[in-house]
Amino acid sequence: PGRGRGKGGQGLASLEERIARTIMATRNIPQSMAVTGEVAMSNRHVTQMMGNLFVLRNQVNLETDILDTPDILWEYSAYEPLYEESRIYLDVDRRVTILNQRFEVLQDMFDFLEDELNDRHATWLEWVIIVLCAVESLIMLMKL
């Protein structure tokens, strides 16, 4: 299949390649969690990966005109059937649907990671409070 270019300058094939690289880069995360039972990533790293995914998703759905009919067809409507045939031949709608399904799967994983990291941070804060209470209790006992 060919390359559709949008006003964002990204061809559909380029966007497909970028999501494939993202999938490859995140493939080991669930496997690692299954083996270790832990999220071995920092909040910052997860947030950066989520940001990159969000940028890519915006490029597919908002910044490019892959899903739009080109403005030139308003002037040259006789070419619209050719354009529609090209979209069908290049399987644009199905490819964009597949991209969005992949985004959803990755987003589910990142949501899970974010929840786990938030729980880990909350547990750390609870321990800090416990230690502070213990220190305060010891200080009070020493004053007696």
Side-chain angles (χ1 to χ4, degrees), residues 8-24:
Q10 295 288 320
L12 184 55
S14 171
L15 294 167
E16 288 170 325
E17 176 61 31
R18 288 178 59 199
I19 191 68
R21 284 195 308 263
T22 302
I23 289 168
M24 291 302 294

PDB file of all heavy atoms in Angstrom, residues 8-24:
ATOM      1  N   GLY A   8      -0.140  17.443   8.239  1.00  0.00           N
ATOM      2  CA  GLY A   8       0.892  17.347   9.253  1.00  0.00           C
ATOM      3  C   GLY A   8       2.191  16.790   8.691  1.00  0.00           C
ATOM      4  O   GLY A   8       3.179  16.703   9.388  1.00  0.00           O
ATOM      5  N   GLY A   9       2.198  16.415   7.414  1.00  0.00           N
ATOM      6  CA  GLY A   9       3.412  15.943   6.781  1.00  0.00           C
ATOM      7  C   GLY A   9       3.713  14.479   7.056  1.00  0.00           C
ATOM      8  O   GLY A   9       4.739  13.978   6.643  1.00  0.00           O
ATOM      9  N   GLN A  10       2.835  13.799   7.753  1.00  0.00           N
ATOM     10  CA  GLN A  10       3.062  12.401   8.093  1.00  0.00           C
ATOM     11  C   GLN A  10       2.246  11.521   7.155  1.00  0.00           C
ATOM     12  O   GLN A  10       1.036  11.668   7.047  1.00  0.00           O
ATOM     13  CB  GLN A  10       2.609  12.122   9.530  1.00  0.00           C
ATOM     14  CG  GLN A  10       3.403  12.834  10.590  1.00  0.00           C
ATOM     15  CD  GLN A  10       4.787  12.246  10.730  1.00  0.00           C
ATOM     16  OE1 GLN A  10       4.974  11.044  10.666  1.00  0.00           O
ATOM     17  NE2 GLN A  10       5.758  13.110  10.910  1.00  0.00           N
ATOM     18  N   GLY A  11       2.918  10.592   6.478  1.00  0.00           N
ATOM     19  CA  GLY A  11       2.202   9.626   5.678  1.00  0.00           C
ATOM     20  C   GLY A  11       1.667   8.524   6.583  1.00  0.00           C
ATOM     21  O   GLY A  11       2.182   8.281   7.672  1.00  0.00           O
ATOM     22  N   LEU A  12       0.607   7.873   6.134  1.00  0.00           N
ATOM     23  CA  LEU A  12       0.007   6.800   6.922  1.00  0.00           C
ATOM     24  C   LEU A  12       1.019   5.690   7.185  1.00  0.00           C
ATOM     25  O   LEU A  12       1.112   5.176   8.302  1.00  0.00           O
ATOM     26  CB  LEU A  12      -1.235   6.266   6.209  1.00  0.00           C
ATOM     27  CG  LEU A  12      -2.046   5.198   6.932  1.00  0.00           C
ATOM     28  CD1 LEU A  12      -2.453   5.666   8.330  1.00  0.00           C
ATOM     29  CD2 LEU A  12      -3.271   4.818   6.117  1.00  0.00           C
ATOM     30  N   ALA A  13       1.824   5.356   6.183  1.00  0.00           N
ATOM     31  CA  ALA A  13       2.838   4.314   6.372  1.00  0.00           C
ATOM     32  C   ALA A  13       3.855   4.722   7.435  1.00  0.00           C
ATOM     33  O   ALA A  13       4.291   3.898   8.244  1.00  0.00           O
ATOM     34  CB  ALA A  13       3.541   4.013   5.051  1.00  0.00           C
ATOM     35  N   SER A  14       4.207   6.004   7.456  1.00  0.00           N
ATOM     36  CA  SER A  14       5.141   6.507   8.467  1.00  0.00           C
ATOM     37  C   SER A  14       4.540   6.390   9.865  1.00  0.00           C
ATOM     38  O   SER A  14       5.212   5.991  10.819  1.00  0.00           O
ATOM     39  CB  SER A  14       5.487   7.959   8.159  1.00  0.00           C
ATOM     40  OG  SER A  14       6.209   8.536   9.218  1.00  0.00           O
ATOM     41  N   LEU A  15       3.276   6.734   9.989  1.00  0.00           N
ATOM     42  CA  LEU A  15       2.603   6.631  11.288  1.00  0.00           C
ATOM     43  C   LEU A  15       2.475   5.168  11.720  1.00  0.00           C
ATOM     44  O   LEU A  15       2.644   4.844  12.900  1.00  0.00           O
ATOM     45  CB  LEU A  15       1.231   7.306  11.226  1.00  0.00           C
ATOM     46  CG  LEU A  15       1.282   8.819  11.009  1.00  0.00           C
ATOM     47  CD1 LEU A  15      -0.100   9.358  10.629  1.00  0.00           C
ATOM     48  CD2 LEU A  15       1.821   9.524  12.232  1.00  0.00           C
ATOM     49  N   GLU A  16       2.200   4.292  10.755  1.00  0.00           N
ATOM     50  CA  GLU A  16       2.129   2.856  11.067  1.00  0.00           C
ATOM     51  C   GLU A  16       3.481   2.350  11.563  1.00  0.00           C
ATOM     52  O   GLU A  16       3.545   1.550  12.505  1.00  0.00           O
ATOM     53  CB  GLU A  16       1.684   2.063   9.832  1.00  0.00           C
ATOM     54  CG  GLU A  16       0.235   2.257   9.477  1.00  0.00           C
ATOM     55  CD  GLU A  16      -0.133   1.675   8.123  1.00  0.00           C
ATOM     56  OE1 GLU A  16       0.709   1.709   7.197  1.00  0.00           O
ATOM     57  OE2 GLU A  16      -1.268   1.198   7.995  1.00  0.00           O
ATOM     58  N   GLU A  17       4.547   2.810  10.940  1.00  0.00           N
ATOM     59  CA  GLU A  17       5.891   2.410  11.357  1.00  0.00           C
ATOM     60  C   GLU A  17       6.192   2.908  12.768  1.00  0.00           C
ATOM     61  O   GLU A  17       6.771   2.190  13.584  1.00  0.00           O
ATOM     62  CB  GLU A  17       6.931   2.937  10.360  1.00  0.00           C
ATOM     63  CG  GLU A  17       8.363   2.653  10.742  1.00  0.00           C
ATOM     64  CD  GLU A  17       8.688   1.177  10.853  1.00  0.00           C
ATOM     65  OE1 GLU A  17       8.084   0.365  10.133  1.00  0.00           O
ATOM     66  OE2 GLU A  17       9.564   0.821  11.681  1.00  0.00           O
ATOM     67  N   ARG A  18       5.798   4.130  13.071  1.00  0.00           N
ATOM     68  CA  ARG A  18       6.055   4.690  14.405  1.00  0.00           C
ATOM     69  C   ARG A  18       5.283   3.938  15.488  1.00  0.00           C
ATOM     70  O   ARG A  18       5.824   3.676  16.560  1.00  0.00           O
ATOM     71  CB  ARG A  18       5.710   6.174  14.424  1.00  0.00           C
ATOM     72  CG  ARG A  18       6.737   6.983  13.636  1.00  0.00           C
ATOM     73  CD  ARG A  18       6.431   8.442  13.583  1.00  0.00           C
ATOM     74  NE  ARG A  18       6.370   9.025  14.914  1.00  0.00           N
ATOM     75  CZ  ARG A  18       5.767  10.175  15.182  1.00  0.00           C
ATOM     76  NH1 ARG A  18       5.186  10.860  14.223  1.00  0.00           N
ATOM     77  NH2 ARG A  18       5.760  10.642  16.411  1.00  0.00           N
ATOM     78  N   ILE A  19       4.048   3.547  15.214  1.00  0.00           N
ATOM     79  CA  ILE A  19       3.288   2.789  16.223  1.00  0.00           C
ATOM     80  C   ILE A  19       3.892   1.387  16.354  1.00  0.00           C
ATOM     81  O   ILE A  19       3.954   0.840  17.463  1.00  0.00           O
ATOM     82  CB  ILE A  19       1.774   2.739  15.919  1.00  0.00           C
ATOM     83  CG1 ILE A  19       0.991   2.180  17.117  1.00  0.00           C
ATOM     84  CG2 ILE A  19       1.460   1.907  14.722  1.00  0.00           C
ATOM     85  CD1 ILE A  19       0.964   3.031  18.324  1.00  0.00           C
ATOM     86  N   ALA A  20       4.387   0.814  15.259  1.00  0.00           N
ATOM     87  CA  ALA A  20       5.043  -0.500  15.330  1.00  0.00           C
ATOM     88  C   ALA A  20       6.295  -0.413  16.205  1.00  0.00           C
ATOM     89  O   ALA A  20       6.563  -1.314  17.012  1.00  0.00           O
ATOM     90  CB  ALA A  20       5.386  -1.002  13.932  1.00  0.00           C
ATOM     91  N   ARG A  21       7.068   0.688  16.067  1.00  0.00           N
ATOM     92  CA  ARG A  21       8.256   0.863  16.915  1.00  0.00           C
ATOM     93  C   ARG A  21       7.859   1.036  18.384  1.00  0.00           C
ATOM     94  O   ARG A  21       8.538   0.512  19.274  1.00  0.00           O
ATOM     95  CB  ARG A  21       9.080   2.068  16.437  1.00  0.00           C
ATOM     96  CG  ARG A  21       9.882   1.793  15.191  1.00  0.00           C
ATOM     97  CD  ARG A  21      10.949   2.845  14.923  1.00  0.00           C
ATOM     98  NE  ARG A  21      10.457   4.209  14.923  1.00  0.00           N
ATOM     99  CZ  ARG A  21      10.131   4.906  13.838  1.00  0.00           C
ATOM    100  NH1 ARG A  21      10.264   4.357  12.647  1.00  0.00           N
ATOM    101  NH2 ARG A  21       9.698   6.146  13.932  1.00  0.00           N
ATOM    102  N   THR A  22       6.770   1.739  18.625  1.00  0.00           N
ATOM    103  CA  THR A  22       6.290   1.908  20.003  1.00  0.00           C
ATOM    104  C   THR A  22       5.885   0.570  20.599  1.00  0.00           C
ATOM    105  O   THR A  22       6.208   0.266  21.751  1.00  0.00           O
ATOM    106  CB  THR A  22       5.098   2.899  20.047  1.00  0.00           C
ATOM    107  OG1 THR A  22       5.520   4.150  19.503  1.00  0.00           O
ATOM    108  CG2 THR A  22       4.602   3.086  21.463  1.00  0.00           C
ATOM    109  N   ILE A  23       5.213  -0.240  19.815  1.00  0.00           N
ATOM    110  CA  ILE A  23       4.808  -1.578  20.288  1.00  0.00           C
ATOM    111  C   ILE A  23       6.043  -2.410  20.606  1.00  0.00           C
ATOM    112  O   ILE A  23       6.101  -3.068  21.649  1.00  0.00           O
ATOM    113  CB  ILE A  23       3.910  -2.268  19.238  1.00  0.00           C
ATOM    114  CG1 ILE A  23       2.543  -1.568  19.197  1.00  0.00           C
ATOM    115  CG2 ILE A  23       3.751  -3.753  19.555  1.00  0.00           C
ATOM    116  CD1 ILE A  23       1.674  -1.974  18.020  1.00  0.00           C
ATOM    117  N   MET A  24       7.032  -2.361  19.734  1.00  0.00           N
ATOM    118  CA  MET A  24       8.265  -3.122  19.982  1.00  0.00           C
ATOM    119  C   MET A  24       8.979  -2.619  21.240  1.00  0.00           C
ATOM    120  O   MET A  24       9.516  -3.412  22.006  1.00  0.00           O
ATOM    121  CB  MET A  24       9.209  -3.031  18.774  1.00  0.00           C
ATOM    122  CG  MET A  24       8.707  -3.765  17.543  1.00  0.00           C
ATOM    123  SD  MET A  24       8.393  -5.518  17.821  1.00  0.00           S
ATOM    124  CE  MET A  24      10.045  -6.091  18.132  1.00  0.00           C
TER     125      MET A  24
END
